[in-house]
Amino acid sequence: MSDLSRPRGTRDFLPSEMSRRRIVEGRMRDVLSRRGYGEVQTPTFEHADLFIARSGPQVLEQIYDFRDKGDRHMALRPELTAPVMRFYASDLRNQPKPLRVFYFGNCFRYERPQKGRYREFWQMGSEYIGKRTAVANAEVIDAAIEAITAAGVGSFKVRIGHVSLLGSLLKDHGVDPSKDKDIMIAIDKKDRVRLAQMVPARDDIDIAPLLDLITGLYEYDDALGRIRQLRMVKPEVTDACDELETVLTALYREDLEILFDPSISRGLDYYDGVVFEIEVPSLGAEKQVCGGGAYSLSSVLGSEVEGIGFGIGFDRIMMALEGEVRPPRKVRSFYVIPIGERAVRSALAAQRSIASFGFDCILEAQGRNLRKAISFAVSCGMTHLVIVGEDEIEKGVLTIKDLGDSGQVTVGVDGLSEYLRSIHPED
Amino acid sequence: MSDLSRPRGTRDFLPSEMSRRRIVEGRMRDVLSRRGYGEVQTPTFEHADLFIARSGPQVLEQIYDFRDKGDRHMALRPELTAPVMRFYASDLRNQPKPLRVFYFGNCFRYERPQKGRYREFWQMGSEYIGKRTAVANAEVIDAAIEAITAAGVGSFKVRIGHVSLLGSLLKDHGVDPSKDKDIMIAIDKKDRVRLAQMVPARDDIDIAPLLDLITGLYEYDDALGRIRQLRMVKPEVTDACDELETVLTALYREDLEILFDPSISRGLDYYDGVVFEIEVPSLGAEKQVCGGGAYSLSSVLGSEVEGIGFGIGFDRIMMALEGEVRPPRKVRSFYVIPIGERAVRSALAAQRSIASFGFDCILEAQGRNLRKAISFAVSCGMTHLVIVGEDEIEKGVLTIKDLGDSGQVTVGVDGLSEYLRSIHPED
């Protein structure tokens, strides 16, 4: 039996949902474009090797991979950074630095569908490719914050950490972040009890200060104190501390929750500098809406690339906005009613004119009589009728009726533009 | 060896190309939205059955199909109509009629890559679901014409035909369009010589009038003559003739090339009324940029649906525009230069303010000195500098330099909004 249902874990979007999504997408897009980020786009599928090179062979367990008709091993992209890096290496590496790019696209993951997790989902992200100065780190995090703010998310937390600082602290205790995965999970959860059990005991160093530090979350003044302390006891992390201090100071604002979180360990094999995560507490388990940081790559591309990037989960942003996005209200919209087939030509011409002035303008095309057409126009929320009947054709005019005040004007077909100019702009 | 190249037959898009594509997409989107079409979006992949149901099992030869990890037979969508119809059947069927929807998305076809044909390509299209009146046919074709005009395509031809009229004429000569594929190809090519050989000879009917008709292409007056003639000799095609006459008359304009083409036979198993194609002659072999028509479906959806749809090949539209799209010129754009790390905080705040007024505003973040930063700003085409140095921080001001006339103003940090308001709007 043929399966004609929507694939499990995917979504169809209604016009009302798409219009909200396009509005929010546009707002975020504007933030990045104005700041000098240019949009790039890569194919929906890539050679599976690309994602294996970035994330290791276990990535195959949760992606859509397949053999194409030429027996190539392909995969639907599970993320957009690797494709953008591939594009960078092949076509963009000679552009002047810094190179600022952003992207907005769908990604795919084969995982158990659940609330807020889909098999096809949308990501927006950016890459700043060039020297990773503290200023650049601050700029990138600020761009992410501004994009999320512009989207309309009211309440969120920005947590900022530093992976090489964390790595250095763990090394003192004999922990290798790339091998001790369970420890990294406990750190991510700030699970002090488990960490105390898991981190190997050493006679010469007390573990309490480390646990104190990484299980904490620090507001600005407190953060600066902690960072100063670290710099004192561990001079080899001075650079990381300086960077953190500059970034936190540059971003600190009274009306924003920006916290120093030393536990952030996202992709330690990829990131190696300042890292950050943005969360919307009201989203519960799916609260993280953005993550990113500074990286330097060499393996994938054959030559060194350094940069700072972030990704924003667009679907989660949309969830965080639930019910708060409204398309701009149209002050005037027109419903054109041709009466009889002879009227269609003039009706279409009127529709073209009216739409060219930026107004919404819908044509009655179901053969309804005038009364029914009017009540349909009203139910669609249209504000004006444009009637083209025998009488109008005879006289070369259009009748325009205001559904609000029932006012009515007759304009010559040639006078329509003038009429439209007189009521425009509509806002 | 790992293959990290771009997949064959696909493209990466540079910022300059994406910006052109987004502008053109926006123009076409505006045309459809204003006319009452609402955007819908469906998943990138579907059960392969959906495309088999629409196009038959041979569709598998040229699509990307694969088994997912749950052993389901999936396919990357080769077209968007079938998914939209699936969505209609499951979620939209109870909406008031007519239902006008449009979509813009990528499709996939596994075929030999060649100029103008890609394995991932973009389609824009619409469906008018409801009674297929002649007015509705005219409205839909007019929407396609307006979308292509708005995109900026200067010169194109619209050919309009009627598949049930064509089918009826062929039947008289014993040709079954669904079986005689070679004949249909010869008709599509208007190949009179081959047709004369292929169409079975009959003693009682001369084949010449049929060949004359379908190998011709008729301008308005000529078209009406031909249609009148058909109505006379073959009363059973009166309805089709009336429909054609109304549509051609409604659309006829002096400045547009609209032709009656009786040979259009696109998807005779799908369409069953007025059909149309739009071509851009300058594109050569890939000249067709749009096709569509009236259909009624029952098989796929379990219940009857009638409507009128079209699809526009977005990549071909972009090719037809080559070099003619320019983003709106920015009259003012700002390059913010923080001097020293203490200045970053004020520089970011200035960037946020300036961008919030809709201006482009880029931050210097590579640690360049003032001289180099200025020359970089100039090379990026920025028109204004915003300098935040020790002096400025001390005094709580920003220095704004006009790179055009070298004029310079100093504004208090608190006065920035007022300054921006005074120079806005920028158009």
Side-chain angles (χ1 to χ4, degrees):
Chain A
M1 232 203 62
S2 191
D3 189 347
L4 303 179
S5 62
R6 185 178 64 242
R8 195 167 135 78
T10 66
R11 289 164 291 172
D12 291 319
F13 295 98
L14 292 164
S16 55
E17 295 171 295
M18 275 316 287
S19 117
R20 296 175 69 229
R21 289 173 76 88
R22 292 292 184 195
I23 290 168
V24 175
E25 177 192 334
R27 291 174 182 169
M28 297 172 80
R29 191 184 276 289
D30 281 349
V31 166
L32 294 172
S33 308
R34 286 183 194 151
R35 290 173 166 239
Y37 291 79
E39 186 177 12
V40 292
Q41 193 167 276
T42 61
T44 300
F45 55 78
E46 298 275 350
H47 292 284
D49 283 344
L50 181 68
F51 302 112
I52 295 172
R54 158 120 200 238
S55 311
Q58 77 288 350
V59 77
L60 292 178
E61 287 163 25
Q62 49 182 0
I63 68 177
Y64 281 88
D65 64 324
F66 59 92
R67 298 246 152 219
D68 76 5
K69 290 187 165 41
D71 202 34
R72 299 179 196 86
H73 187 192
M74 311 304 286
L76 299 185
R77 58 189 181 197
E79 45 97 1
L80 288 156
T81 300
V84 169
M85 288 298 147
R86 173 190 58 62
F87 185 26
Y88 172 77
S90 64
D91 295 83
L92 302 169
R93 66 197 316 161
N94 294 324
Q95 304 244 352
K97 300 288 173 304
L99 178 66
R100 290 174 170 98
V101 295
F102 80 94
Y103 43 81
F104 178 75
N106 45 352
C107 298
F108 305 84
R109 217 179 291 135
Y110 191 87
E111 60 178 358
R112 199 167 60 80
Q114 48 187 303
K115 187 172 183 306
R117 293 183 93 90
Y118 302 97
R119 288 183 173 174
E120 177 171 13
F121 55 96
W122 274 259
Q123 289 272 114
M124 177 169 261
S126 81
E127 306 293 338
Y128 177 105
I129 300 177
K131 240 193 290 175
R132 308 173 314 164
T133 63
V135 182
N137 275 292
E139 191 241 290
V140 170
I141 300 174
D142 196 57
I145 291 170
E146 285 295 289
I148 291 169
T149 305
V153 177
S155 173
F156 56 87
K157 262 186 201 142
V158 184
R159 290 180 291 107
I160 297 176
H162 199 296
V163 289
S164 69
L165 173 66
L166 175 64
S168 169
L169 296 173
L170 292 175
K171 211 173 125 202
D172 294 345
H173 291 271
V175 175
D176 177 347
S178 66
K179 288 187 191 140
D180 300 315
K181 296 280 175 208
D182 291 339
I183 292 182
M184 297 317 291
I185 291 169
I187 288 175
D188 186 55
K189 296 195 171 144
K190 295 188 186 287
D191 185 338
R192 191 183 175 109
V193 175
R194 289 209 63 201
L195 279 173
Q197 294 162 348
M198 293 166 83
V199 175
R202 282 181 59 168
D203 291 343
D204 57 335
I205 315 186
D206 180 13
I207 195 184
L210 174 72
L211 296 191
D212 278 351
L213 181 72
I214 61 181
T215 56
L217 206 50
Y218 308 95
E219 295 197 6
Y220 184 62
D221 290 329
D222 205 3
L224 293 198
R226 290 281 173 167
I227 291 167
R228 224 163 286 141
Q229 206 179 348
L230 279 168
R231 207 189 269 117
M232 242 151 52
V233 300
K234 229 174 120 56
E236 66 270 35
V237 297
T238 299
D239 287 352
C241 288
D242 289 352
E243 216 169 27
L244 269 174
E245 193 172 326
T246 303
V247 169
L248 287 168
T249 303
L251 294 174
Y252 173 70
R253 288 190 263 166
E254 292 242 313
D255 55 347
L256 207 64
E257 202 169 356
I258 297 194
L259 305 160
F260 169 40
D261 181 352
S263 77
I264 303 179
S265 62
R266 45 182 307 107
L268 269 171
D269 37 354
Y270 179 70
Y271 294 107
D272 65 352
V274 172
V275 285
F276 69 104
E277 293 180 344
I278 301 180
E279 62 188 47
V280 178
S282 64
L283 291 179
E286 307 298 329
K287 68 185 176 187
Q288 197 189 311
V289 296
C290 176
Y295 54 82
S296 52
L297 300 179
S298 53
S299 59
V300 179
L301 300 165
S303 82
E304 193 76 15
V305 183
E306 56 176 62
I308 311 162
F310 65 80
I312 293 178
F314 184 67
D315 300 293
R316 293 192 188 173
I317 293 288
M318 291 309 299
M319 282 173 63
L321 299 175
E322 213 59 77
E324 287 172 28
V325 186
R326 281 204 194 79
R329 219 184 104 57
K330 303 279 181 168
V331 178
R332 290 187 189 78
S333 54
F334 296 82
Y335 197 80
V336 181
I337 307 172
I339 298 166
E341 307 221 314
R342 269 184 67 208
V344 185
R345 193 172 143 73
S346 308
L348 276 178
Q351 186 188 28
R352 281 193 295 268
S353 285
I354 297 170
S356 76
F357 275 82
F359 295 110
D360 282 358
C361 184
I362 298 180
L363 186 76
E364 163 57 39
Q366 289 288 282
R368 295 186 179 92
N369 64 29
L370 186 60
R371 197 177 53 77
K372 285 193 176 162
I374 295 177
S375 85
F376 184 76
V378 170
S379 77
C380 295
M382 310 304 285
T383 65
H384 289 68
L385 301 177
V386 179
I387 297 166
V388 195
E390 291 295 329
D391 237 40
E392 280 81 5
I393 295 176
E394 203 90 337
K395 298 181 186 150
V397 298
L398 305 165
T399 300
I400 302 176
K401 236 188 167 69
D402 185 327
L403 285 168
D405 62 10
S406 300
Q408 179 167 318
V409 292
T410 301
V411 298
V413 168
D414 299 332
L416 180 60
S417 293
E418 201 181 324
Y419 165 79
L420 292 166
R421 238 186 318 270
S422 78
I423 59 171
H424 209 251
E426 63 166 308
D427 43 25
Chain B
M1 231 202 62
S2 186
D3 188 346
L4 303 181
S5 64
R6 185 178 64 242
R8 195 167 135 78
T10 66
R11 290 164 290 173
D12 292 318
F13 296 99
L14 291 164
S16 55
E17 294 171 294
M18 275 317 288
S19 117
R20 294 175 70 231
R21 289 173 76 87
R22 292 293 184 192
I23 289 168
V24 175
E25 176 193 333
R27 291 175 182 169
M28 297 171 80
R29 193 184 275 291
D30 281 349
V31 166
L32 295 172
S33 309
R34 285 181 194 151
R35 291 173 166 240
Y37 291 79
E39 187 178 11
V40 292
Q41 193 168 277
T42 61
T44 300
F45 55 78
E46 297 276 350
H47 292 283
D49 283 343
L50 181 69
F51 303 112
I52 295 172
R54 159 124 198 235
S55 312
Q58 77 288 351
V59 76
L60 292 178
E61 286 163 26
Q62 49 182 0
I63 68 177
Y64 281 89
D65 65 324
F66 59 91
R67 298 244 153 223
D68 76 4
K69 290 184 164 46
D71 201 34
R72 298 178 197 89
H73 187 192
M74 311 305 287
L76 299 186
R77 59 189 182 198
E79 44 97 2
L80 288 157
T81 299
V84 169
M85 287 299 147
R86 173 190 57 64
F87 184 25
Y88 172 78
S90 63
D91 294 84
L92 302 169
R93 67 196 317 162
N94 295 323
Q95 303 243 352
K97 301 287 173 305
L99 179 66
R100 290 174 170 96
V101 296
F102 81 95
Y103 43 82
F104 178 75
N106 44 352
C107 298
F108 305 84
R109 217 181 290 133
Y110 191 87
E111 59 178 0
R112 198 168 60 81
Q114 48 187 304
K115 189 173 181 303
R117 295 183 91 89
Y118 302 98
R119 290 184 171 173
E120 177 171 14
F121 55 97
W122 274 259
Q123 290 272 114
M124 178 169 261
S126 81
E127 306 294 338
Y128 177 105
I129 300 175
K131 241 195 287 176
R132 306 172 317 164
T133 63
V135 183
N137 275 291
E139 191 241 292
V140 169
I141 299 174
D142 197 57
I145 292 170
E146 284 297 288
I148 291 169
T149 304
V153 177
S155 174
F156 54 89
K157 260 186 203 146
V158 184
R159 291 181 290 106
I160 297 176
H162 199 295
V163 289
S164 68
L165 173 65
L166 175 64
S168 168
L169 296 172
L170 292 175
K171 211 172 125 202
D172 294 346
H173 291 272
V175 175
D176 177 347
S178 65
K179 287 185 191 141
D180 300 314
K181 295 279 174 209
D182 292 339
I183 292 182
M184 297 317 291
I185 291 168
I187 289 175
D188 186 55
K189 294 193 171 144
K190 294 186 185 289
D191 185 339
R192 191 182 174 108
V193 177
R194 290 210 62 202
L195 278 173
Q197 295 163 348
M198 292 166 84
V199 175
R202 283 180 57 169
D203 291 342
D204 55 337
I205 316 187
D206 180 14
I207 196 183
L210 175 72
L211 295 191
D212 279 351
L213 181 72
I214 62 181
T215 57
L217 206 51
Y218 308 94
E219 296 197 4
Y220 185 62
D221 290 329
D222 206 4
L224 293 198
R226 290 282 174 166
I227 291 167
R228 224 162 286 143
Q229 208 180 342
L230 279 168
R231 206 189 271 119
M232 241 150 53
V233 301
K234 230 175 120 55
E236 65 271 35
V237 298
T238 299
D239 286 352
C241 288
D242 290 352
E243 215 169 28
L244 269 173
E245 193 173 326
T246 304
V247 170
L248 287 167
T249 303
L251 294 174
Y252 173 70
R253 288 189 262 168
E254 293 243 312
D255 54 347
L256 207 63
E257 202 169 355
I258 296 195
L259 304 161
F260 169 39
D261 182 353
S263 77
I264 304 179
S265 63
R266 43 181 314 106
L268 269 171
D269 38 355
Y270 179 69
Y271 294 107
D272 64 353
V274 173
V275 284
F276 70 104
E277 294 180 344
I278 301 180
E279 61 188 47
V280 177
S282 63
L283 291 180
E286 307 298 329
K287 68 185 174 186
Q288 196 188 312
V289 296
C290 175
Y295 53 81
S296 52
L297 301 179
S298 54
S299 60
V300 179
L301 300 166
S303 81
E304 192 77 15
V305 183
E306 56 175 63
I308 311 161
F310 66 78
I312 293 178
F314 184 68
D315 300 294
R316 293 192 186 172
I317 294 287
M318 292 308 300
M319 282 173 62
L321 298 176
E322 212 61 76
E324 287 172 25
V325 185
R326 280 202 196 79
R329 220 184 102 55
K330 303 279 180 169
V331 177
R332 289 188 190 79
S333 54
F334 296 82
Y335 197 80
V336 181
I337 307 173
I339 299 165
E341 307 222 314
R342 270 183 67 207
V344 185
R345 193 173 143 71
S346 307
L348 276 179
Q351 187 188 29
R352 281 193 297 268
S353 283
I354 296 169
S356 76
F357 275 82
F359 295 109
D360 282 358
C361 184
I362 299 180
L363 185 76
E364 164 57 40
Q366 289 287 281
R368 295 185 179 90
N369 64 30
L370 187 59
R371 198 179 52 76
K372 286 195 175 160
I374 293 175
S375 85
F376 184 77
V378 169
S379 77
C380 296
M382 310 305 285
T383 64
H384 287 69
L385 301 177
V386 180
I387 298 166
V388 195
E390 292 293 331
D391 238 38
E392 280 81 5
I393 294 177
E394 202 91 336
K395 297 181 187 152
V397 298
L398 305 165
T399 299
I400 302 176
K401 237 189 166 71
D402 185 327
L403 285 167
D405 62 10
S406 300
Q408 179 167 319
V409 291
T410 301
V411 297
V413 169
D414 299 332
L416 180 59
S417 292
E418 200 180 326
Y419 166 79
L420 293 167
R421 238 187 317 270
S422 78
I423 59 172
H424 210 252
E426 64 166 307
D427 49 25

